[in-house]
Amino acid sequence: MIRADDAYDVVVIGAGLAGLSLARQLLLASPRRILMIDRRAELPPRRQKVGEATVQVSGFYFSKVLELEEHLLREHYLKYNLRFWWKTPGRANDAFEDYSQSYIRSFSNVPTYQLDRNAIEAELLRLNAACDTFQCQHSATNIDVRFRSQEPHVVTFEAEGGARTVFARWVVDASGRGRVLARRLGLQRVSPILHGSSFVWVEGLVNLEQFTNCPSREIPRMPIRRHIGHLPFWLATNHFCGEGFWLWVIPLQGRTSLGLVYDIARVSHMDVDTAEKLIAWISREFPLFRRALSGRRVIDHGCFRSCSYDCERAISAERWALSGEAGRFTDPLYSPGGDLIALHNTLIAHAIAGDDASLPSKCAAYDRLMRAWHDAYVPSYAVSYDALGDQRSMNLKYTWELAVYFAMYVFPFINDLFASEAFIATYLRMMARLGRINDRLQAFIDAYYRWRKPRRANTAVPTFHDFTASAELRIAESAFYEVGVSLDEARRVLSAQAANLERLARIIVMQVVAEVVGDATVADDASLRAAIDLDSLRFDPSQMDEWCTGARGTAMQASR
Ligand SMILES: Cc1cc2nc3c(=O)[nH]c(=O)nc-3n(C[C@H](O)[C@H](O)[C@H](O)COP(=O)(O)OP(=O)(O)OC[C@H]3O[C@@H](n4cnc5c(N)ncnc54)[C@H](O)[C@@H]3O)c2cc1C
């Protein structure tokens, strides 16, 4: 006999962002009995946690799905997009106006936030604990799970000096890098991405605008404002970029988070593995930070030799699932961690709400979708990371990636389409096609970056680029306003968006070809654009001139 006190609908292992969000999502839907168990005595911990920047999917998830909008606006900063910075050759680069920048000038209509992780976790814990059916066990050790197919799973652990056994229909692992179930079930897989990270919290706001050679009263009217405008760009997730590495600068209330992420072939972990070494490295690489960080109190520091890993599967009809870093993680460059939490939790919540008979097909579809989201990102991080070292290459890369993100990730998520098996089938077909294009395009951009590197003009003049100069990116963003769509309408929107993305891929290729052959007219030549075979795309400068002549000839013959 199972005592009623020991019977739960769901046991969640780990009270971090993933676990607490899942509990909130489940409790908002119905009063389920949830037991959360965590090894920590203090929840949330006071130390720095990474995962501070949100993007549109996670921003929507935390504010709208979890109904935290007021808390977010009260306790966290609204994020002013992602903003990239590059040093300008021939300049001292000790002032913000020396740097080239790429950005979006307006705020996103699907708002994003800079999270103080400990503050949002404290709020989630408070809201969950206010429900009678939620319990949280701190200081739990030696957690083990015995899976049973017909009966509730058996979860054992030690806490408060004794052993406890409980029973649960579902067990969800949200233990982050503890990876309790992945280890237990042998699901761990390595990732092709080999990137490390070192990060600090420093006291106070690093307001980039103040690190200038301009007298302070003239800052509001600096000529650079013609490009960047007047919004406080310190609210952005500011990325200072170099070949194979980037530094994030994220404002939190009363403190600033800075973190270096690097390809281990480009930066040695030994050079950045303490707060002092990291700050020295940053100040050498980006002289602006000599001013910004000198004399600042360091509040905390952490590092990972390796950020990325994969897992075999993340949800099973045997009534277990993984969410957050307990499953897989790619790379922080575009802040996908919160998005993965949003997607996994949403699918897990739908699986838990369903009946057992529907689980095999549902979990198979959900697992394929979770994998597709992960795999689609891998080439961006594993293939073309060096392109971070060049503004023009990165402008092309990010325009593509952001347009794919807006159309293929944000649009379905804000319409809650991902739980539908019928939608997933259509979606995965389109993602497979886009995935093949993406593989080719990422390799193409990487090769272009290497070709361009010795040829770049060292003009000593910073350049400014607004990503929304791309009409195709604006079309992708217009999907934010396609809301409340039926399944058929969603398919139509996605088909149109996929066609727009293919067009964007062709435009990007032609911009590169125009530069390589030294003929600007090539970029706008519709017949050349149409002649590109995206399935066999390769960056081969020696063939480009000949290819343009041939394709133009064929187009002329066809028009006669
Ligand atoms: C360098 C870096 C930068 C990142 N930046 C971003 C970003 O800007 N934006 C973004 O969205 N994502 C980012 N991410 C990803 C983000 O950090 C994760 O998505 C997020 O922290 C995962 O939260 P979680 O709840 O899965 O794990 P955690 O927050 O680590 O929570 C796990 C919980 O499980 C508990 N636990 C662990 N082991 C056990 C055990 N054996 N028994 C019981 N309990 C256990 C822990 O005590 C903890 O409370 C970044 C990742 C890295 C590596």
Side-chain angles (χ1 to χ4, degrees):
M1 271 292 281
I2 299 174
R3 284 191 324 131
D5 279 358
D6 294 330
Y8 294 91
D9 296 307
V10 188
V11 164
V12 180
I13 305 169
L17 191 58
L20 289 163
S21 299
L22 176 65
R24 168 92 175 142
Q25 196 167 0
L26 293 171
L27 291 168
L28 281 170
S30 73
R32 287 213 170 72
R33 274 180 59 77
I34 298 173
L35 176 65
M36 179 163 274
I37 40 184
D38 199 290
R39 68 178 172 193
R40 289 187 209 270
E42 185 186 35
L43 290 172
R46 280 175 224 185
R47 297 207 53 186
Q48 179 176 15
K49 269 189 167 187
V50 285
E52 297 159 324
T54 60
V55 279
Q56 279 79 4
V57 168
S58 48
F60 186 88
Y61 177 69
F62 294 123
S63 62
K64 305 289 186 191
V65 178
L66 301 190
E67 301 179 6
L68 295 174
E69 193 164 71
E70 191 200 345
H71 165 79
L72 288 167
L73 289 170
R74 210 155 21 88
E75 305 287 336
H76 309 258
Y77 284 128
L78 202 58
K79 172 176 151 180
Y80 179 35
N81 305 317
L82 183 50
R83 195 176 197 93
F84 298 94
W85 300 70
W86 289 269
K87 283 182 297 194
T88 304
R91 295 255 183 159
N93 292 297
D94 59 351
F96 89 89
E97 63 271 23
D98 281 355
Y99 287 73
S100 296
Q101 296 182 40
S102 297
Y103 43 75
I104 290 180
R105 270 202 309 213
S106 53
F107 269 93
S108 169
N109 193 261
V110 178
T112 56
Y113 304 87
Q114 306 289 17
L115 298 182
D116 176 334
R117 283 285 304 269
N118 299 338
I120 191 171
E121 288 177 23
E123 177 65 0
L124 283 164
L125 190 55
R126 185 185 73 77
L127 290 167
N128 291 338
C131 300
D132 296 342
T133 54
F134 175 87
Q135 289 168 16
C136 183
Q137 176 65 62
H138 299 225
S139 308
T141 55
N142 293 328
I143 296 168
D144 198 13
V145 185
R146 186 151 57 84
F147 294 99
R148 304 192 298 182
S149 51
Q150 303 300 329
E151 295 169 272
H153 304 313
V154 185
V155 183
T156 54
F157 56 92
E158 285 162 32
E160 297 167 29
R164 191 165 174 213
T165 301
V166 297
F167 302 85
R169 182 168 167 258
W170 273 83
V171 176
V172 180
D173 185 15
S175 62
R177 286 168 189 256
R179 305 186 77 193
V180 172
L181 285 194
R183 289 180 210 279
R184 164 87 172 68
L185 297 170
L187 300 170
Q188 295 149 289
R189 296 291 177 270
V190 293
S191 168
I193 305 163
L194 299 172
H195 298 166
S197 180
S198 181
F199 38 88
V200 278
W201 267 347
V202 296
E203 197 165 57
L205 174 69
V206 174
N207 182 350
L208 295 167
E209 186 173 285
Q210 289 172 354
F211 307 106
T212 172
N213 294 328
C214 180
S216 59
R217 67 179 183 289
E218 285 172 27
I219 294 173
R221 282 168 297 283
M222 288 169 79
I224 193 176
R225 300 268 175 211
R226 290 173 198 165
H227 302 284
I228 63 173
H230 306 282
L231 286 170
F233 53 83
W234 55 265
L235 279 176
T237 298
N238 287 293
H239 282 186
F240 286 76
C241 305
E243 185 177 82
F245 66 82
W246 55 281
L247 166 77
W248 79 66
V249 185
I250 295 178
L252 303 172
Q253 311 261 348
R255 60 186 63 169
T256 303
S257 170
L258 298 105
L260 177 69
V261 184
Y262 53 88
D263 185 332
I264 58 170
R266 299 276 171 222
V267 177
S268 159
H269 183 70
M270 298 267 288
D271 291 344
V272 291
D273 62 354
T274 65
E276 295 69 30
K277 286 196 230 173
L278 176 64
I279 288 174
W281 192 98
I282 295 170
S283 305
R284 269 195 315 274
E285 186 62 37
F286 300 110
L288 159 71
F289 289 95
R290 273 186 222 140
R291 289 166 155 192
L293 297 181
S294 132
R296 291 248 179 197
R297 188 170 82 82
V298 171
I299 300 171
D300 204 357
H301 169 258
C303 57
F304 294 120
R305 269 178 191 280
S306 168
C307 296
S308 321
Y309 48 81
D310 196 358
C311 69
E312 179 67 29
R313 64 179 304 136
I315 187 166
S316 160
E318 299 292 306
R319 292 175 280 110
W320 58 260
L322 315 179
S323 184
E325 288 193 337
R328 43 176 78 102
F329 184 69
T330 48
D331 189 90
L333 178 59
Y334 301 137
S335 307
D339 282 16
L340 287 180
I341 290 174
L343 178 77
H344 282 228
N345 282 357
T346 299
L347 298 179
I348 293 167
H350 275 282
I352 290 175
D355 55 75
D356 283 1
S358 65
L359 279 181
S361 79
K362 203 178 252 182
C363 290
Y366 289 179
D367 194 57
R368 276 200 298 277
L369 178 61
M370 291 165 170
R371 166 144 304 284
W373 263 42
H374 167 271
D375 290 358
Y377 266 116
V378 169
S380 292
Y381 306 135
V383 177
S384 53
Y385 223 59
D386 279 353
L388 278 158
D390 172 48
Q391 183 179 22
R392 175 150 168 84
S393 307
M394 199 55 201
N395 288 346
L396 298 177
K397 174 175 156 68
Y398 186 62
T399 303
W400 162 252
E401 290 162 339
L402 193 61
V404 172
Y405 178 69
F406 285 171
M408 305 304 290
Y409 290 69
V410 182
F411 161 70
F413 188 83
I414 63 178
N415 279 287
D416 198 18
L417 291 163
F418 283 127
S420 153
E421 286 176 62
F423 176 78
I424 291 174
T426 308
Y427 178 80
L428 290 180
R429 270 196 305 279
M430 288 188 194
M431 284 296 274
R433 164 85 187 129
L434 282 172
R436 286 193 296 277
I437 296 175
N438 186 44
D439 286 348
R440 296 269 175 190
L441 197 59
Q442 295 290 348
F444 184 84
I445 290 172
D446 182 59
Y448 164 61
Y449 167 74
R450 286 173 213 295
W451 173 87
R452 202 177 128 74
K453 190 173 159 185
R455 296 173 173 81
R456 276 183 300 202
N458 287 342
T459 55
V461 180
T463 47
F464 299 90
H465 176 74
D466 186 331
F467 290 104
T468 60
S470 160
E472 288 67 31
L473 182 65
R474 295 198 301 275
I475 290 171
E477 195 259 358
S478 71
F480 290 3
Y481 305 89
E482 303 277 4
V483 192
V485 293
S486 67
L487 200 53
D488 281 344
E489 286 166 339
R491 288 187 175 123
R492 274 198 295 280
V493 171
L494 272 193
S495 295
Q497 287 290 346
N500 177 55
L501 291 170
E502 265 201 57
R503 186 180 143 78
L504 175 58
R506 289 170 191 281
I507 288 171
I508 288 170
V509 171
M510 289 319 301
Q511 288 183 3
V512 169
V513 174
E515 184 180 332
V516 173
V517 301
D519 176 357
T521 65
V522 162
D524 297 322
D525 188 324
S527 64
L528 289 180
R529 207 157 54 219
I532 299 163
D533 178 5
L534 288 172
D535 291 320
S536 59
L537 182 65
R538 264 182 343 111
F539 182 85
D540 185 349
S542 67
Q543 306 265 307
M544 285 182 183
D545 247 329
E546 203 182 313
W547 178 83
C548 289
T549 313
R552 275 179 163 152
T554 311
M556 256 166 43
Q557 273 176 359
S559 68
R560 275 194 197 127

